[in-house]
Amino acid sequence: MNDLPKDLTSQELLQQIGRLKKEREAVILAHNYQPPEIQDLADFTGDSLELSMIAAKTPAKVIVFCGVQFMGETAAILSPDKTVLLPVLEAGCTLADYATAEQLREAKKKYPNAIVVTYVNSSAEVKAETDICCTSANAIQIVESIEGNRPILFVSDYNLGHYAAKKTGKNIILWNGCCPTHALLSPFAIAKAKKKWPEAQVIMHPECKPETLELADFVGSTSGMLKYAKSQPAGASFIVGTEVGLLHRLQKENPDKTFHPASDYLICPMMKMTTLKNVKDSLEKMQYVVKVPAEIRLKAKAAVDAMLQYTASLKITTK
Ligand code: 13P
C-alpha cells in the first residue's frame, strides 16, 4: 500500500487557504506579475504603489505578500504592528540587489548636494539612506517635485531614472542598475512583434531600455498599462512590453481586446516562485515573517511616507 502523503489538489489548497485566512485575520496581496492562480486568489492585485497603499491601511492582522522581498519589506516598514509574511523566502529582486546601503553612503559623499530618490525596488537599508522613494507609477511626479536644479541621485534603476530625466529635464545622476527581465527587451524584438501584429499598440514598462521605450505608444507602471488598455476601444490589440504575468489581468479585465507578449523571454523567475502550496504553508506555519530592524525601519518609513504623502496630495491613483 502506498502510504506517501498525497498532494492536495488546487481546490483543496484553495479551501484551506480560505479557512486559514479567516482564522489568521489575514489579507492576501499579489503583485501583477504573480502566477495567474495566485492573482485570482488574492484579495488585492496591483502595482507596487497600490499594494504599498493597501499595506499601509489594511485592518488585517496578517499580510501575506505574494511578490518579492522588497515588497514584503515595504509592507513591514509601513505596518510594524502587523505580521507580514512572504510565502517564498528566496523571492528576491535582482534590481534591488544593484544598490547596497554602503554604496549609497559612498555616492552621497561624492554628491553631497544631491537629493536621493530611490525606486521602491530596493532594500530597507537603502531606503533608510533615502530622502524620498518612488515607484514606476509616480517617478516622474516625484522627480518633478524636487525644486530647482538640485542634482537628484536616482537609485537604482538606470532606465527608469533615464526616462524620468527625459520627461522632466531634471538634473539626474543615474545609478548603474537594471531589471534584467525588462532590460532584455530589445528594439529588434519590438520590431519583430510589430511586423507580426501591425495593428497593435505597444505598451511598455519604464524599466525597459531607452532605445526600446522610444518604440512605445504608452509607457506606464503595470497598473498604468491596465488603466490605459481599459481606456482603449473594444477590439484594440496590444504588444505588452513587461513581465508576462500582467497579461493575465489585461486579458481577464478586457475580454474584448487582444494582448500579445512583446517577447517570450519576459519572465521574472522570482515572481514566478509562489505556488498555492506556498501560500497555504505560509498561513499555516506563519512563515516567512518579514522583519526590519527598528532603527532602519523608522528611517526607511520616512522616505516611503514622503512618497505616499506627496502621491496623495497629487491624488495619483492607478485605478
Ligand atoms: P510596478 O510598480 O509597475 O508594478 O513594477 C514593479 C516591478 O517590480 C517592475 O519590475
Side-chain angles (χ1 to χ4, degrees):
M1 206 175 89
N2 185 356
D3 55 4
L4 286 172
K6 100 175 172 24
D7 284 344
L8 295 174
T9 64
S10 299
Q11 208 45 45
E12 287 166 333
L13 284 167
L14 286 170
Q15 275 167 8
Q16 294 199 13
I17 290 168
R19 177 180 54 78
L20 288 162
K21 200 176 78 167
K22 263 196 209 137
E23 273 173 35
R24 301 287 193 203
E25 296 179 52
V27 66
I28 301 180
L29 309 185
H31 186 265
N32 287 327
Y33 294 156
Q34 285 286 293
E37 63 279 15
I38 303 296
Q39 295 194 31
D40 289 345
L41 82 86
D43 297 297
F44 299 98
T45 305
D47 69 4
S48 309
L49 180 62
E50 290 169 331
L51 295 178
S52 61
M53 283 166 158
I54 292 166
K57 286 193 190 137
T58 178
K61 288 193 178 147
V62 174
I63 300 173
V64 181
F65 213 120
C66 301
V68 293
Q69 281 158 11
F70 80 83
M71 296 179 175
E73 268 189 3
T74 307
I77 288 165
L78 289 166
S79 298
D81 52 331
K82 306 204 167 100
T83 304
V84 179
L85 303 174
L86 193 69
V88 182
L89 187 62
E90 304 80 23
C93 172
T94 311
L95 170 54
D97 295 341
Y98 270 100
T100 64
E102 185 52 38
Q103 287 167 334
L104 180 50
R105 280 192 288 270
E106 285 305 311
K108 282 163 69 172
K109 276 187 213 154
K110 196 168 164 197
Y111 306 105
N113 193 29
I115 184 145
V116 180
V117 176
T118 296
Y119 194 26
V120 280
N121 298 40
S122 53
S123 68
E125 288 78 9
V126 167
K127 288 184 176 79
E129 295 289 333
T130 293
D131 294 305
I132 184 165
C133 283
C134 74
T135 74
S136 59
N138 58 22
I140 290 172
Q141 290 88 347
I142 298 281
V143 161
E144 226 152 33
S145 75
I146 314 298
E147 278 166 22
N149 200 32
R150 193 167 166 196
I152 298 165
L153 183 55
F154 193 95
V155 187
S156 61
D157 188 46
Y158 180 96
N159 295 329
L160 179 62
H162 185 279
Y163 178 69
K166 192 176 162 210
K167 286 280 171 192
T168 61
K170 290 280 185 183
N171 177 11
I172 295 187
I173 302 155
L174 298 169
W175 194 272
N176 187 17
C178 69
C179 161
T181 305
H182 285 95
L184 212 64
L185 187 61
S186 65
F188 175 73
I190 299 295
K192 209 168 132 193
K194 277 175 97 165
K195 210 167 171 190
K196 207 162 165 193
W197 301 293
E199 305 299 322
Q201 297 186 56
V202 181
I203 57 176
M204 235 181 254
H205 196 277
E207 286 177 17
C208 293
K209 288 184 295 194
E211 60 271 34
T212 314
L213 285 176
E214 288 288 328
L215 303 175
D217 297 299
F218 174 83
V219 176
S221 74
T222 53
S223 289
M225 284 185 261
L226 277 159
K227 189 180 170 191
Y228 179 75
K230 261 188 204 162
S231 75
Q232 297 302 293
S237 60
F238 304 85
I239 294 165
V240 184
T242 194
E243 213 277 343
V244 291
L246 187 65
L247 273 92
H248 177 64
R249 251 187 98 184
L250 281 167
Q251 201 61 79
K252 196 169 150 184
E253 294 176 15
N254 300 277
D256 54 348
K257 294 165 197 165
T258 315
F259 300 92
H260 311 285
S263 148
D264 290 336
Y265 300 105
L266 287 166
I267 298 168
C268 170
M270 308 285 197
M271 280 285 181
K272 296 292 179 266
M273 285 179 159
T274 324
T275 62
L276 291 176
K277 172 133 185 351
N278 295 145
V279 179
K280 191 271 290 174
D281 288 348
S282 176
L283 280 160
E284 197 169 64
K285 301 176 188 166
M286 292 296 276
Q287 68 187 22
Y288 296 91
V289 178
V290 182
K291 288 206 172 95
V292 181
E295 68 284 7
I296 301 280
R297 192 188 73 75
L298 284 176
K299 287 190 200 158
K301 188 171 185 298
V304 180
D305 278 346
M307 169 186 84
L308 291 178
Q309 276 157 22
Y310 187 70
T311 306
S313 77
L314 293 173
K315 298 194 175 49
I316 295 180
T317 61
T318 40
K319 285 242 160 23

